Amino acid sequence: MTGVQTCALPISIEIFKKILPYLHDPNRRSQIHFFIGQSYIEKGRYLEAIEEFNDAIKIYRDKDIIIQSRDFIKGIVMEKLLKSELESLIKIYPYEFPGGYSLFKLASIYYYRLRDYESFRSTLERFIKDFPMHEYIEKAKKNLEDFP
């Protein structure tokens, strides 16, 4: 099997979870976690999807599944999560992926939705301190520079 396949069958999450203990091949286990993650997205259960995609990344060493899992997680964080869900992710992943995206998105929510400019500033400052190599670091620095 090459690349990452998508789950085309309407198999329930429960069936996938029942299969996992019987799979000893890490590649197959990772694929099942990936499929469970996709199923959770379809159900709108985004935090559980992130957990499954992270499990897929931890188990599998194939570049395609890692890239696709990270892309799914990034998309969920940047487009789907509420403030409380972002705060939960930051507690779970304070210094690792996807914590940086969660902090950056949370800062955006403070600024644009809540108009809480002090929280915006402190969240961006934390992001810059904790994620100095993040792909959004320059954007965050610019946002702070442009902020009155």
Side-chain angles (χ1 to χ4, degrees):
M1 171 182 258
T2 58
V4 176
Q5 295 181 349
T6 59
C7 182
L9 299 175
I11 299 175
S12 72
I13 292 168
E14 293 75 28
I15 292 174
F16 279 137
K17 289 193 176 242
K18 286 180 182 177
I19 293 170
L20 272 172
Y22 301 102
L23 296 175
H24 301 291
D25 176 15
N27 294 341
R28 293 286 180 213
R29 289 181 61 80
S30 181
Q31 289 169 341
I32 295 297
H33 282 294
F34 186 83
F35 294 153
I36 293 171
Q38 288 179 315
S39 297
Y40 278 138
I41 287 175
E42 290 173 15
K43 293 179 180 292
R45 295 166 60 179
Y46 301 117
L47 292 179
E48 292 160 299
I50 289 171
E51 184 179 332
E52 292 298 331
F53 288 127
N54 267 331
D55 286 345
I57 291 168
K58 290 175 190 171
I59 296 170
Y60 206 53
R61 295 295 170 230
D62 181 89
K63 187 169 57 171
D64 290 337
I65 203 163
I66 291 170
I67 290 170
Q68 288 191 20
S69 292
R70 287 180 67 88
D71 286 347
F72 270 119
I73 292 170
K74 180 181 171 184
I76 291 168
V77 169
M78 300 306 287
E79 299 171 17
K80 301 289 186 187
L81 297 184
L82 303 171
K83 178 182 173 281
S84 61
E85 294 169 317
L86 292 166
E87 291 168 338
S88 293
L89 278 182
I90 293 164
K91 287 179 185 171
I92 297 167
Y93 306 101
Y95 303 105
E96 60 185 301
F97 178 82
Y101 290 104
S102 301
L103 274 171
F104 190 83
K105 180 62 179 182
L106 183 60
S108 170
I109 288 172
Y110 282 133
Y111 187 85
Y112 292 106
R113 290 190 195 157
L114 301 176
R115 307 282 191 233
D116 180 349
Y117 302 117
E118 273 308 305
S119 294
F120 165 74
R121 177 183 294 283
S122 64
T123 302
L124 272 187
E125 288 171 347
R126 178 178 171 194
F127 171 80
I128 291 167
K129 180 176 89 41
D130 292 348
F131 295 93
M133 304 303 290
H134 197 278
E135 71 174 297
Y136 292 161
I137 195 70
E138 294 305 318
K139 195 174 197 177
K141 288 177 180 178
K142 176 132 178 58
N143 286 345
L144 271 183
E145 287 173 13
D146 294 345
F147 187 70

